[in-house]
Amino acid sequence: MDEAMNEMEPVALREVLHAAAGVLQDLEGRCGRLQSALSPTLAGNPHAVALQDLDYLTQGLASLSWFLSNLGQELPDEWRADAAAATRDLPLEAMAAALRLQPQEASAAAGDLELFE
């Protein structure tokens, strides 16, 4: 485990919720791009109904992002969270870092294909 992660102090819960809202915004954007890419391919296809699910997912991510961001604005500054502990077992390293308020630099250039193990 990373030494810096062990030494992290609790951070303002407001900031963690703002970071989570940002992660959701990123996921919303990815879903929107996927929806745009798939729409022409699935037009008229019996599986086109799945695009409605993708649209709902995209809108849901946007709504959750908005909710968390607004909720965070209402919290007192003294409310703290141990973001490092909460993200300890997250499998997506960049997402965990963002939620710990320690964004990482992109490992691949924009548009590069990344394959997962």
Side-chain angles (χ1 to χ4, degrees), residues 91-103:
L92 297 175
E93 189 175 315
M95 184 181 292
L99 293 171
R100 284 192 306 269
L101 308 178
Q102 295 181 330

Side-chain angles (χ1 to χ4, degrees), residues 97-113:
L99 293 171
R100 284 192 306 269
L101 308 178
Q102 295 181 330
Q104 296 180 331
E105 294 196 23
S107 60
D112 284 355
L113 176 63

Side-chain angles (χ1 to χ4, degrees), residues 26-51:
D26 177 62
L27 293 172
E28 173 202 356
R30 291 171 185 259
C31 283
R33 289 188 298 275
L34 182 59
Q35 188 174 1
S36 294
L38 292 177
S39 291
T41 306
L42 292 179
N45 186 303
H47 297 291
V49 157
L51 286 176

